[in-house]
Amino acid sequence: MVVKIQAARASMDGTITYNQRKVEKGVARVLCAVNIPSAFPEDVRETFARYECRNRMSNDVSFQLSINPDPSRPEERLSDQEAREL
């Protein structure tokens, strides 16, 4: 299993775009959306943009953690529930 913490960014836009491309390719899916009107990319962007413009004290607002189980090792695969709990 590979776990990677991506570099922090000043905006969520790049992170949202990256994740949406993965969903469109069918290699990722949205498991849940909390405190956001929907999981549609524009709703997510709008929600984060409202917070980004209010928070002038932070330079980096984006955090992305990537968890990549080895496909050849079934014991590393996470169920949807296990991923949500993480």
Side-chain angles (χ1 to χ4, degrees):
M1 180 176 296
V2 176
V3 176
K4 181 177 181 183
I5 298 175
Q6 306 292 339
R9 308 245 183 233
S11 169
M12 286 294 296
D13 193 58
T15 301
I16 295 165
T17 300
Y18 171 82
N19 289 326
Q20 182 58 28
R21 285 188 190 137
K22 299 287 242 178
V23 169
E24 288 169 359
K25 289 179 182 177
V27 297
R29 63 183 181 271
V30 177
L31 295 178
C32 65
V34 179
N35 296 328
I36 297 175
S38 78
F40 289 111
E42 290 312 311
D43 287 339
V44 175
R45 277 188 181 85
E46 183 180 315
T47 300
F48 279 102
R50 285 195 308 259
Y51 289 107
E52 288 173 4
C53 69
R54 290 182 195 162
N55 189 356
R56 304 208 185 272
M57 299 296 287
S58 296
N59 295 325
D60 298 323
V61 297
S62 172
F63 170 80
Q64 184 175 348
L65 174 70
S66 176
I67 301 172
N68 303 287
D70 183 340
S72 68
R73 300 185 65 182
E75 68 274 12
E76 289 189 2
R77 293 186 190 141
L78 299 173
S79 69
D80 289 354
Q81 183 60 34
E82 290 170 324
R84 278 187 211 98
E85 290 172 2
L86 279 176

